[in-house]
């Protein structure tokens, strides 16, 4: 039953074919067996999830109105604060943090009737593309456990791919939902900036961060986005627009849609031939169903990574300054004064990647360098945004690879941060522009590693993404769950 | 060589909102430690700020009252530094693009009016409070109380237009009066809701360039600001006259020793790495909003003094005393509206009873009736004072108390004639002496009549009747 | 090299990060490489370009000035690494 889609599971509980207790029990058992192999969960809520499932079954027995995800077990990336449930953000510095509040996403998921199974592993403070920077150890790719699942929402993508939950919610600052979705053979959506509330979602780079669904099918992703999207007064950057019927968009024909192919994306050095081949199949799938391919140009693409690696660390250096050992979280034991306490707390509480980015960001904002780095990056961000504005005047959606290569091996890129950063080249521009993006499986490499296609659309045009991604999914079906060795 | 001082003042005024600037916690002063806190103002992970509309309106009204240009777009920025009273390790403030620019305030100086420029007004959040455990030098720990975190402040920065400590004091008082009139700040310096830092330098008279400035902090009363400025100017002049130079530094006013002392600790950390706060979008203020707020600006202290002095027939001195509080001036005007009479008398009464006015213990009717009854001879000056005191004590209307206590006086000459005749008849010797020229005895007769009437006679009328009868 | 050892130490002080000698050297190399890569932005002429701070173009929303107490001070204070009564306790501020 772990292979069911989110929609199937929701329907079966609703139709009383199965109880929430049975479903939750089955997944908790599976987590117990599989999770030690892939380390997708940092916290599993054994008792709490069963208690919640029991409560859901009782609600249903009373004939009360049910939410769309009634009784269905899900997981959240451990970046979403959950009241009274340890929320670590993959960091030692928050290893014992008990938030006294729920993130807006956690509230919405609970209000939809879903059952929370646990919290997913992630790169520390979402800084990474491999889930190797987690304080709680790396997550492994369910398709090949010697390889990384992508990141930073690697725990979420791996859990969904391994059938350890029916859906998850991750976050995406420079590709952190789409890239692991691509590498784990699942669907991941980065919604338009402002579509999903950031309240209670631990900040990495506030002007880029956005929460979004990770699921095994496009209709499931559409359903899940419908649950977590919407205006929230507690987030000043949340946009007050109605939430459309996303699942309906996943059923619309793609006929007549203009799909842009940005030439710069296909000229990138190091684009794996298997990825190139899979992209051709994805394009064929769209064209066969009546879409029209249009070559376009996004001329500032090659500047996106440099721009991102100023803006994101700069914002992060400020966002992560609050972890000072005063009010919550880890505090180093020191005999000295305040400054020493803070400096040692942060030195011991943060991992190498987080420290590196805090250093870059602090440098970029410091006296004398602001204009040359942060000011410059903000202007180039405008140029990248304009590229997309011009493109979306001509096309409805843009098709690109999600990642230049399939999943790489654990440890392969940890020694060279810049190479790791460059692997985000296809996903980063979308965050800089604030537009929505989706990654949908579109093939396998010769070694049996999943490959994803990325689709991008204009602001608040998530429906276009679901229509196009569903067309690719229909033409290029992918296995429901990763065939874990011995599972 | 003759020197002149150059003074600029930076005022931090706490806005009188109910809630904090970015969260719904109470902004009230004096709660138990960490009582007024929530995840937002304690900087917990993932929480976000949402701007308090009233705090913006209070700042815009201040800007309009000081002739500033309200900016249609202003931006909140993060000022980054580590300190245990700053939970997010950044203060949300306005930096490059503040809410208001280029205004001014007119002050009285050397018998004339002087215009002091205002460079900018911006909004920001307050920090918390650190209590040093043990309060002695060897304290091993500090305790953080975050109640004040995110209480709304506005910073009002003046141009370096003041030349004397007196001008500095006049500017501060005028600014404080304006904020209190607008009801956007309670103006309480001791509780810290109106704080002032000063930039001071000196230069030889006639020189255009500014000297090196020192920044003065820790002055918690108007008097202290003036004293600190006086001291600092003298110190800098002496320094230069002794052949030294003035160091650019921050100095603290030590009110006990009456000196300024250099602030200890290094200035290394003054790289605040400001950048626009990505959690807050630009603050957009349209003309319609500004116009609506402009209509809420009351008559301000300077205008009120001028109007009262020119149209109400009172002295400028009295007008200033009355205008020291908007409530008192309003009270005076309401009272004069009920009974005109001699406004000087009403003004004196209002000033005399200003504490009771502020406490809401008396109404404009109380003073109007007291003045009217005295001017029409219904009560004596003594009775008037007694009656107002009774109003304060009992809360009953003055005229009801006048009747209850029998404090009306007899001003009818006819009614007094019989008593006067009786008194003259009882004191024939004195009457004889008076008629023979001992005019001083008139007060003896007045006293006797007052005694006979138990003080209820109007002494002025008694004198008239006596003169007639004895004449 | 785009960044000196002294600059690394200065930035670490600003960021309150106590770095080991070995970390300082490694970070100098890594940050140097990343800054060199970022330098490519200098090839773009952005004199006429308005900076983008936010991905959404609207004014900041407001909340009404009404008090709504959080009501669970204990849940906030109980996370404190060192607490004295209802205060957060920190080591004294040493002057150096």
């Amino acid at each position: 039953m772990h292979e069911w889609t989110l929609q199937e599971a929701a329907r079966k509980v609703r139709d009383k074919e199965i109880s929430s207790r049975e479903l939750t029990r089955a997944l908790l058992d599976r987590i117990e067996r599989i999770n030690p192999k892939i380390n997708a969960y940092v916290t599993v809520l054994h008792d709490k999830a069963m208690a919640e499932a029991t409560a859901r079954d009782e609600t249903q027995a009373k004939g009360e109105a049910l939410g769309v995800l009634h009784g269905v077990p899900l997981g959240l990336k451990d970046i979403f604060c959950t009241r009274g449930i340890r929320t670590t953000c993959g960091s030692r510095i928050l290893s014992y943090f008990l938030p006294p509040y729920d993130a807006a996403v956690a509230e919405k998921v609970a209000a939809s009737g879903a059952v929370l199974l646990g919290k997913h592993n992630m790169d520390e403070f979402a800084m990474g593309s491999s889930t190797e920077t987690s304080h709680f150890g790396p997550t492994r790719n369910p398709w090949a456990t010697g390889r990384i699942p992508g990141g930073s929402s690697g725990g979420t993508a791996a859990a969904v791919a391994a059938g350890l939950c029916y859906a998850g919610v991750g976050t995406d600052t420079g590709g952190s939902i789409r890239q692991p979705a691509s590498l784990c053979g699942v669907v991941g959506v980065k919604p338009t900036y402002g579509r999903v509330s950031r309240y209670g979602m631990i900040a990495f780079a506030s002007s880029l961060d956005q929460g979004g669904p990770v699921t095994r099918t496009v209709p499931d992703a559409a359903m899940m986005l419908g649950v977590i999207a919407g205006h929230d007064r507690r987030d000043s950057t949340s946009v007050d627009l109605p939430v459309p019927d996303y699942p309906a968009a996943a059923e619309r024909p793609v006929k007549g849609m203009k799909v842009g192919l940005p030439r710069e994306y296909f000229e990138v050095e190091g684009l794996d031939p298997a990825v190139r081949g899979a992209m051709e199949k994805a394009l064929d799938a769209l064209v066969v169903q009546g879409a029209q391919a249009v070559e376009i140009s996004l001329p500032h693409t090659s500047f996106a990574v440099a721009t991102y690696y100023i803006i994101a660390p700069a914002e992060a250096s400020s966002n992560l300054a609050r972890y000072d050992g005063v009010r919550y979280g880890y505090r180093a034991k020191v005999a000295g004064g305040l400054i020493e306490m803070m400096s040692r707390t942060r030195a011991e509480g943060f991992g190498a990647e987080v420290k590196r980015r805090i250093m870059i960001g602090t440098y970029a904002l410091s006296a004398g360098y602001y204009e040359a780095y942060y000011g410059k990056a903000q202007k180039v961000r405008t140029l990248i945004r304009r590229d997309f504005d011009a493109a979306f005047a001509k096309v409805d959606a843009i098709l690109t690879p999600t990642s230049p290569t399939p999943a790489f091996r654990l440890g392969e890129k940890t020694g060279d941060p810049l190479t790791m950063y460059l692997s985000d080249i296809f996903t980063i521009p979308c965050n800089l522009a604030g537009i929505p993006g989706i990654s949908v499986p579109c093939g396998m490499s010769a070694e049996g590693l999943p490959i994803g296609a990325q689709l991008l659309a204009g602001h608040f045009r998530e429906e276009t993404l679901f229509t196009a991604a569903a067309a690719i999914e229909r033409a290029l079906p992918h296995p429901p769950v990763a065939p874990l060795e011995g599972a | 060589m003759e020197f002149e001082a150059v003074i600029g003042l930076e005022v931090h005024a706490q806005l009188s909102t109910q809630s904090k600037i970015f969260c719904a916690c109470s902004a009230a002063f004096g709660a138990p430690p960490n009582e007024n806190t929530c995840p937002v103002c304690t900087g917990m992970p993932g929480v976000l700020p949402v701007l308090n509309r009233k705090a913006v309106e209070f700042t815009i009204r201040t800007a309009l009252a000081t002739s500033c240009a309200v900016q249609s777009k202003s931006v909140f920025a993060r000022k980054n530094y580590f300190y245990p009273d700053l939970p997010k390790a950044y203060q949300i403030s306005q930096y490059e693009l503040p809410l208001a620019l280029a205004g001014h305030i007119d002050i009285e100086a050397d018998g004339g009016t002087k215009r002091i420029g205002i460079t900018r007004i911006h909004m920001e959040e307050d920090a918390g409070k650190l209590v040093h455990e043990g309060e002695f030098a060897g304290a091993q720990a500090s305790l953080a109380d975050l109640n004040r975190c995110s209480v709304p402040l506005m910073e009002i920065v003046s141009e370096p237009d003041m030349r004397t400590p007196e001008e500095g004091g006049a500017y501060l008082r005028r600014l404080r009066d304006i904020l209190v009139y607008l009801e956007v700040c309670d103006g309480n310096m001791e509780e810290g809701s109106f704080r002032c830092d000063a930039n001071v330098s000196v230069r030889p008279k006639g020189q255009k360039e500014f000297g090196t400035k020192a920044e003065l902090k820790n002055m918690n009363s108007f008097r202290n600001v003036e004293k600190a400025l006086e001291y600092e100017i003298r110190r800098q002049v002496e320094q230069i006259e002794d052949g030294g130079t003035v160091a650019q530094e921050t100095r603290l006013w030590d009110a006990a020793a009456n000196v300024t002392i250099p602030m200890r600790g290094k200035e290394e950390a003054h790289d605040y790495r400001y950048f626009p706060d990505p959690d807050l979008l630009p603050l957009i203020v349209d003309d319609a909003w500004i116009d609506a707020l402009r209509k809420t600006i009351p008559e301000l202290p300077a205008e009120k003094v001028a109007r009262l002095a020119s149209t109400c027939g009172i002295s400028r001195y009295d007008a200033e005393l009355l205008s020291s509080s908007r409530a008192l001036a309003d009270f005076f005007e309401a009272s004069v509206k009920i009974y005109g009479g001699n406004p000087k008398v009403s003004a004196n009464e209002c000033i005399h009873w200003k504490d009771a006015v502020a406490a809401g213990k008396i109404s404009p009717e109380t003073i109007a009736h007291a003045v009217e009854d005295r001017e029409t001879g219904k009560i004596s000056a003594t009775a008037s004072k007694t009656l107002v005191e009774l109003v304060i004590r009992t809360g009953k209307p003055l005229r009801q108390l006048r009747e209850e206590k029998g404090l009306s006086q007899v001003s009818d000459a006819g009614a007094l004639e019989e008593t006067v005749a009786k008194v003259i008849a009882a004191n024939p010797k004195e009457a004889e002496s008076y008629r023979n020229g001992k005019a001083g005895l008139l007060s003896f007769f007045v006293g006797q009549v007052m005694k006979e009437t138990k003080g209820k006679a109007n002494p002025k009328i008694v004198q008239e009747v006596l003169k007639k009868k004895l004449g | 090299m785009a960044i000196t050892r002294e600059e690394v130490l200065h930035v670490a002080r600003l960021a309150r990060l106590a770095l080991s000698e070995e970390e300082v050297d490694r970070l100098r190399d890594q940050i140097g490489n990343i800054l060199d890569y970022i330098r490519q932005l200098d090839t773009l002429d952005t004199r006429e370009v308005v900076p983008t701070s936010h991905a959404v173009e609207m004014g900041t929303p407001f909340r009404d000035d009404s008090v709504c107490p959080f009501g669970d001070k204990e849940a906030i204070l109980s996370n404190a690494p060192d607490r004295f009564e209802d205060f957060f306790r920190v080591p004294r501020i040493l002057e150096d």
Side-chain angles (χ1 to χ4, degrees), chain B residues 117-184:
Chain B
I118 289 177
T119 315
R120 56 185 274 153
I121 303 178
H122 72 248
M123 303 179 68
E124 62 186 28
E125 58 178 341
D126 207 349
K129 196 174 77 177
L130 275 190
V131 186
H132 301 290
E133 216 172 45
E135 290 293 351
F136 57 87
Q140 281 307 300
S142 300
L143 304 174
D145 171 7
L146 306 180
N147 279 340
R148 290 189 69 87
C149 283
S150 235
V151 162
L153 301 177
M154 63 180 162
E155 182 173 338
I156 303 159
V157 182
S158 87
E159 291 287 316
D161 287 347
M162 288 153 278
R163 295 290 170 266
T164 64
E166 294 70 34
E167 287 181 11
Y171 166 82
L172 275 189
R173 286 191 183 86
R174 172 62 17 118
L175 178 60
R176 204 266 309 256
D177 288 349
I178 290 172
L179 302 190
V180 173
Y181 260 60
L182 292 170
E183 293 173 335
V184 300

Side-chain angles (χ1 to χ4, degrees), chain B residues 51 56 72-74 76 94 99 281-285, chain C residues 60 62:
Chain B
L51 183 59
V56 178
S72 59
K73 176 182 168 179
S74 59
F76 285 94
Q94 294 187 309
L99 181 51
L281 302 172
L283 170 54
I284 305 296
V285 179
Chain C
T60 206
F62 302 104

